[in-house]
Amino acid sequence: MRKVDLNKKFKENTLLKAAFDFFTTKGFSKTSITDIVNQAGVAKGTFYLYFKDKYDIRNRLISHKSSQLFRTAVEELGDQTEGLAFEDRLIRIIDNIINQLSENQSLLNFISKNLSWGIFKNALTAPASDDDINFSDVYYGMLAEAPCEFQDPEIMLFMIIELVSATCYSAILYEDPCSISELKPHLYDSIRLIIARHKKAEKALENKEYESQ
């Protein structure tokens, strides 16, 4: 990479880091672009070379941080998921991500407060950095390797993500209604039910049994 490109990347990363520090301590609504550029040590005009506004840098951060969670999970699991059923592989990844968020509660707070499906989907399909993993490729690769087909796989993923994000936040931060360790077995049973509901083979079998009654 050329020196000028390295310098641009450094400034962008410095702005992202400054924004993340403010968003996780001061809060998004109370953080100004002036705060971010002063912390980063760059001119305000430099900010607009990389980001449209404060919402843009927030969305880029969510995309980047979400992709980092998936990257860490995939790298740490390595070949441990080889040969496992689709649902077991996905739950292993989810379990790793939950553990990461349990250890980094400021990141959990930031992502949970600002996450929307549109931003998250963008994180899955269009990584913000060359260092980020494209989880869409991982997810659809896992689907392709599964012995059965799935109906509406994007909706299935949406429901799983909504379930995980909605239940884990309170369990991790406040142990409400229980600790995350107590919640996990119930959560993973529910994920298995969602996946089972989307398996085409099982639906066809259920319909056949129903028609024969």
Side-chain angles (χ1 to χ4, degrees), residues 69-129:
L69 288 170
F70 286 119
R71 182 185 182 89
T72 300
V74 170
E75 288 180 349
E76 288 185 352
L77 290 170
D79 59 2
Q80 295 177 33
T81 61
E82 291 297 322
L84 295 179
F86 169 81
E87 50 266 45
D88 293 325
R89 295 179 68 184
L90 188 59
I91 287 172
R92 284 282 189 93
I93 293 173
I94 291 170
D95 185 71
N96 184 285
I97 290 171
I98 290 173
N99 291 340
Q100 290 182 63
L101 291 172
S102 296
E103 295 172 3
N104 190 346
Q105 296 185 5
S106 62
L107 177 58
L108 169 67
N109 226 339
F110 171 67
I111 289 179
S112 296
K113 284 184 176 180
N114 297 287
L115 188 63
S116 70
W117 172 245
I119 295 172
F120 195 84
K121 183 180 176 183
N122 184 62
L124 298 181
T125 58
S129 166

Side-chain angles (χ1 to χ4, degrees), residues 106-177:
S106 62
L107 177 58
L108 169 67
N109 226 339
F110 171 67
I111 289 179
S112 296
K113 284 184 176 180
N114 297 287
L115 188 63
S116 70
W117 172 245
I119 295 172
F120 195 84
K121 183 180 176 183
N122 184 62
L124 298 181
T125 58
S129 166
D130 292 338
D131 296 329
D132 294 340
I133 192 169
N134 188 328
F135 184 73
S136 179
D137 290 345
V138 176
Y139 178 63
Y140 282 97
M142 289 165 56
L143 288 172
E145 293 173 7
C148 60
E149 293 184 353
F150 293 88
Q151 181 178 8
D152 301 319
E154 185 172 308
I155 293 175
M156 179 173 72
L157 182 61
F158 166 77
M159 293 178 66
I160 291 171
I161 289 171
E162 287 293 303
L163 173 64
V164 172
S165 61
T167 56
C168 288
Y169 181 81
S170 293
I172 292 174
L173 293 180
Y174 310 113
E175 295 195 348
D176 184 24

